Amino acid sequence: MRDLLPSEASARELDARDPLRALRREFLIPKRGGSETIYLCGHSLGLQPRSARRLVDEHLEEWAKRGVDGHFKGRAPWFPYHERFRKPLARLVGAKPREAVAMNSLSVNMHLLLASFYRPTKARFKIITDAPVFPSDLYALKSQLRWHGFDPKAALVLLQPRPGETALRPDDMESVIDREGPRAAVLWLNGVNFLTGQAYPIPRLAAAARRRGIRVGLDLAHAAGNVPLSLHDWNVDFAVWCSYKYLNAGPGAVGGAFVHERHARDARLPRLAGWWGHDPRTRFRMQLEPRFSPQPGAEGWQLSNPPILSLAPLEASLALFDRAGMPALRGKSERLSAYWWRLLGGLGSRIEMITPADPAQRGCQVSLRVRRNGRAVHRKLEEAGIVCDFRQPDVIRAAAVPLYNSFHDAWVFARTLLRHA
Ligand SMILES: *Cc1c(COP(=O)(O)O)cnc(C)c1O
């Protein structure tokens, strides 16, 4: 088996020719026993950009030096701090600047936007989503249904793979959307599924749903910073994401949300309001401003003044995305994945690749089903200095992130797996 693996030198050679290789030095790679780990866990917690600490320190300094004046003074005053994220976020998710905002966290944003966009009637109340469903999404969807008086058993429709298959077939997804069309209120779709790593054809599915009068919301937890997105052109209604996975903004980082501009000024949309969503020109008039007047766009859904210290690392990370550009990152991601798939092909039937082989249907994550001793195999990977994760009952997930992973990282993972699986 091992003979099928190309040489270590050939992996190093691919790295030497990688035009994005310098970006790796912008990140802090965790060490174990004095040497760098092979970090393949960016799908769970992205690495710390070196520049993150400086930006956090800068806000601590401003706070120490200026106190409350830091809201309006300094390089990056706090009152408008979230506005700095408009353009980089818009570039990242394919939005117009006023369609994207950094705020709260994913599950909170999901509830806030469902409060506006899930408006069920007796006739049209179902929510359709892709399985397997991430637990927070499942709890949130079920609680939304119950909140509006519906029984999740009848009102939550799961898009499931066919028996014996692990990926969803877009044709099947579209038939369910067709079938449920008149009764469905929202399609809640992941950009990339957290467990299988499958990337869905969003433009096609979003168009199918919209043709039937279904609103489309996306969970981009595993898609933002991983695959190219064009939320505005895809015409989805709303989307949310977190920033600690591929966006490298640190544990519990501030998440993000998108609201399509066609909803930007729709006063009929009900929403749960807070002062940071209010027009910034009159926000600090406080008690003199009893009527909520939302600013147009996604920022109108903000509630609180943002946690500046946990926003700062996102500024550092988005600057790196802008330095590379999503097209170049996707280019490297495709080369890296193609290489990885070739190496893992040597595993034969001992391990089932559950992430689709079709490059259009995957990002940089690979999910492997290890039927026997999955946990022991994962432990062997850990012992070899590899950081990836194991999800019960039998799935190992690993991601080769184009910002900081190398062809050599992929090679070490494949070699270790070939030895132990
Ligand atoms: C990571 C992830 C979340 C995390 O939710 P938080 O509110 O950020 O804790 C939610 N949904 C999906 C699909 C995820 O992958």
Side-chain angles (χ1 to χ4, degrees):
M1 273 303 164
R2 220 171 301 160
D3 299 337
L4 293 175
L5 204 65
S7 70
E8 185 165 13
S10 73
R12 298 279 193 204
E13 173 59 31
L14 288 169
D15 283 325
R17 276 187 280 146
D18 167 17
L20 296 183
R21 65 184 180 280
L23 282 166
R24 180 183 176 92
R25 288 195 291 275
E26 302 295 332
F27 290 88
L28 294 162
I29 313 235
K31 293 188 175 172
R32 266 192 214 149
S35 43
E36 279 185 358
T37 54
I38 305 290
Y39 194 86
L40 299 170
C41 222
H43 58 280
S44 182
L45 186 74
L47 291 182
Q48 182 181 139
R50 279 182 194 279
S51 47
R53 183 183 297 265
R54 181 173 53 76
L55 292 184
V56 175
D57 276 349
E58 183 184 350
H59 290 296
L60 286 171
E61 274 300 306
E62 291 291 332
W63 177 25
K65 209 167 71 190
R66 301 183 199 268
V68 71
D69 287 346
H71 280 299
F72 296 101
K73 292 190 175 135
R75 180 196 66 96
W78 307 321
F79 182 85
Y81 190 51
H82 62 273
E83 294 174 9
R84 305 176 80 85
F85 296 82
R86 282 177 186 160
K87 287 183 180 163
L89 280 179
R91 285 189 285 270
L92 188 83
V93 299
K96 296 193 169 179
R98 299 304 287 266
E99 290 177 320
V101 63
M103 63 178 190
N104 310 313
S105 50
L106 189 153
S107 307
V108 173
N109 289 337
M110 185 176 168
H111 276 303
L112 285 178
L113 294 183
L114 284 170
S116 291
F117 293 104
Y118 176 56
R119 304 301 302 164
T121 62
K122 278 212 166 58
R124 199 187 256 285
F125 56 90
K126 293 191 179 184
I127 299 178
I128 305 174
T129 195
D130 56 296
V133 190
F134 189 89
S136 199
D137 296 46
L138 188 62
Y139 307 151
L141 293 177
K142 284 184 174 175
S143 65
Q144 282 279 338
L145 290 167
R146 290 200 190 96
W147 179 257
H148 288 280
F150 297 98
D151 177 2
K153 277 203 190 66
L156 185 62
V157 179
L158 297 184
L159 302 166
Q160 307 259 26
R162 294 186 183 189
E165 298 186 4
T166 48
L168 284 167
R169 297 193 192 192
D171 286 344
D172 291 357
M173 298 170 88
E174 202 170 327
S175 345
V176 176
I177 292 168
D178 273 340
R179 193 189 68 216
E180 299 290 348
R183 286 172 304 279
V186 164
L187 170 66
W188 179 254
L189 191 65
N190 283 272
V192 174
N193 186 277
F194 80 100
L195 192 64
T196 65
Q198 181 179 9
Y200 305 117
I202 297 168
R204 173 183 165 190
L205 299 169
R210 283 180 48 77
R211 271 199 303 278
R212 282 152 195 86
I214 304 170
R215 281 189 165 147
V216 181
L218 300 181
D219 183 328
L220 303 175
H222 287 264
N226 179 14
V227 293
L229 300 166
S230 298
L231 300 185
H232 178 84
D233 291 344
W234 294 346
N235 219 357
V236 302
D237 294 284
F238 62 106
V240 301
W241 56 91
C242 53
S243 308
Y244 45 82
K245 292 170 181 165
Y246 295 107
L247 299 189
N248 313 308
V254 175
F258 164 91
V259 177
H260 197 280
E261 82 175 344
R262 70 175 168 279
H263 302 302
R265 295 173 189 278
D266 184 352
R268 290 162 310 167
L269 271 178
R271 75 174 95 193
L272 299 172
W275 74 322
W276 228 252
H278 183 88
D279 185 341
R281 289 167 305 182
T282 52
R283 187 185 292 143
F284 272 16
R285 280 169 40 84
M286 313 298 245
Q287 83 285 3
L288 302 177
E289 206 61 24
R291 229 197 55 173
F292 176 66
S293 161
Q295 47 185 321
E299 286 174 25
W301 269 263
Q302 293 172 106
L303 296 183
S304 303
N305 73 105
I308 302 297
L309 297 179
S310 32
L311 256 184
L314 184 61
E315 188 182 355
S317 175
L318 291 178
L320 295 172
F321 275 94
D322 274 337
R323 193 169 122 191
M326 264 320 275
L329 286 169
R330 175 62 177 176
K332 174 173 172 186
S333 182
E334 285 177 347
R335 289 191 296 281
L336 199 48
S337 292
Y339 175 72
W340 213 7
W341 250 254
R342 245 188 354 265
L343 301 185
L344 295 173
L347 286 164
S349 57
R350 286 174 293 168
I351 282 186
E352 181 193 355
M353 310 270 285
I354 61 178
T355 308
D358 171 12
Q361 288 191 69
R362 66 176 191 224
C364 63
Q365 175 181 325
V366 55
S367 302
L368 304 160
R369 174 161 285 142
V370 193
R371 291 200 187 278
R372 283 183 28 230
N373 299 332
R375 209 180 269 285
V377 172
H378 179 250
R379 203 172 312 120
K380 291 288 183 194
L381 292 166
E382 290 278 325
E383 281 164 19
I386 295 165
V387 184
C388 59
D389 62 21
F390 178 73
R391 287 291 174 264
Q392 292 178 42
D394 54 8
V395 176
I396 290 174
R397 301 185 307 173
V401 174
L403 271 174
Y404 50 75
N405 282 124
S406 62
F407 289 83
H408 186 255
D409 291 340
W411 185 88
V412 174
F413 178 85
R415 181 194 58 184
T416 313
L417 206 56
L418 286 167
R419 280 187 187 160
H420 297 291

